[in-house]
């Protein structure tokens, strides 16, 4: 158990258990840089029974749907990978993953969202999964718009989507603020705020790391 993170860890494990029972959800984790969001998520998901898929936002910008494409590409290289999407939507997913074959000549955002949603659903159908997207403060707008769309389809899926971001790096008008507002209006905002450790927890952490203090 992480020192000072018992409540947050218990909440994440409860949502992971829900996903294992095909009651998925989208959860946002907010906290300052270095506060331990990534460690918290990995500890909470360890032993959950969910396959953990990780993608990360890149400082300085990335291609459209960058963190999600990273996850799908890693999955395709795995030994257990099967077809992500079949039928006409496969060509739309190939716009992001050329290794899938010839891409569609044209498409729209809604169709691409559906192709990605079906790909993630196919992964989770083989084994319940957690999609962990870290450093969302650097993610592209398309990824954040996709999360809002995914939130509406997770209720009956064995898929937990976790998005972590640095709350101290969100200027006014940042797309994550719009994402939270949209989720709140839809009654789907689930957020865990990871605060800096208090004095007692910090002392316990130091004692675990350095040993008991002298008189």
């Amino acid at each position: 158990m992480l020192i000072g993170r018992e409540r947050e860890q218990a909440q994440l494990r409860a949502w992971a258990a829900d996903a294992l029972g095909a009651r998925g959800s989208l959860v946002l984790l907010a906290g300052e840089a270095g506060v331990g969001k990534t460690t918290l998520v990995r500890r909470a998901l360890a032993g959950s029974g969910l396959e953990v898929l990780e993608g990360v936002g890149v400082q300085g910008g990335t291609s459209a749907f960058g963190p999600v494409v990273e996850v799908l590409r890693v999955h395709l290289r795995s030994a257990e990978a099967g077809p992500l999407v079949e039928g006409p939507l496969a060509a739309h997913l190939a716009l992001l993953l050329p290794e899938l074959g010839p891409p569609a000549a044209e498409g729209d955002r809604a169709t691409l969202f559906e192709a990605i949603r079906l790909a993630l659903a196919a992964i989770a159908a083989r084994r319940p999964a957690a999609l962990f997207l870290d450093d969302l403060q650097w993610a592209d707008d398309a990824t954040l718009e996709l999360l809002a769309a995914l939130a509406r389809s997770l209720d009956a899926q064995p898929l937990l989507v976790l998005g972590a971001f640095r709350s101290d790096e969100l200027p006014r008008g940042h797309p994550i603020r719009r994402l939270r507002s949209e989720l709140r209006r839809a009654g789907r905002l689930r957020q865990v705020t990871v605060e800096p450790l208090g004095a007692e927890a910090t002392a316990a952490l130091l004692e675990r790391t350095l040993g008991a203090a002298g008189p």
Side-chain angles (χ1 to χ4, degrees):
M1 182 71 73
L2 292 175
I3 291 176
R5 303 295 186 213
E6 294 81 5
R7 178 182 59 81
E8 294 90 343
Q9 196 167 2
Q11 181 63 81
L12 291 177
R13 283 178 171 169
W15 283 324
D18 285 344
L20 200 61
R23 299 184 305 277
S25 58
L26 169 64
V27 177
L28 300 179
L29 286 93
E32 298 175 1
V35 79
K37 299 181 295 298
T38 304
T39 300
L40 171 63
V41 170
R42 288 174 177 168
R43 289 286 184 87
L45 294 178
S48 66
L50 299 176
E51 178 183 6
V52 181
L53 312 166
E54 292 193 25
V56 62
V58 178
Q59 188 172 18
T62 184
S63 57
F65 307 100
V68 178
V69 169
E70 177 185 354
V71 166
L72 296 178
R73 186 159 279 145
V74 168
H75 177 76
L76 284 172
R77 298 193 194 106
S78 70
E80 299 178 356
L84 289 176
V85 178
E86 297 180 308
L89 286 177
H92 290 273
L93 194 62
L95 291 168
L96 301 178
L97 297 163
E99 57 265 44
L100 295 180
E106 58 181 0
D108 54 49
R109 182 64 61 90
T111 304
L112 191 52
F113 279 7
E114 180 63 6
I116 297 172
R117 186 192 70 78
L118 288 177
L120 294 173
I123 293 173
R126 297 185 190 107
R127 179 183 172 188
L131 174 63
F132 175 36
L133 305 179
D134 205 357
D135 283 329
L136 281 183
Q137 74 279 352
W138 295 327
D140 58 287
D141 289 358
T143 296
L144 299 178
E145 292 172 13
L146 172 66
L147 291 182
L150 283 177
R152 297 190 290 270
S153 66
L154 295 173
D155 293 348
Q157 289 190 37
L159 177 62
L160 174 63
V161 180
L162 295 162
F165 62 91
R166 297 181 181 181
S167 54
D168 51 337
E169 296 190 19
L170 291 189
R172 189 183 300 275
H174 192 285
I176 286 181
R177 295 187 184 275
R178 296 197 297 273
L179 170 63
R180 289 191 302 185
S181 296
E182 183 174 344
L183 293 173
R184 186 179 292 109
R185 287 194 299 270
R188 295 184 178 276
L189 179 60
R190 290 184 172 183
Q191 179 170 301
V192 174
T193 300
V194 185
E195 302 286 357
L197 292 176
E200 184 176 342
T202 300
L205 178 62
L206 288 173
E207 183 171 341
R208 174 185 289 183
T209 306
L210 303 176

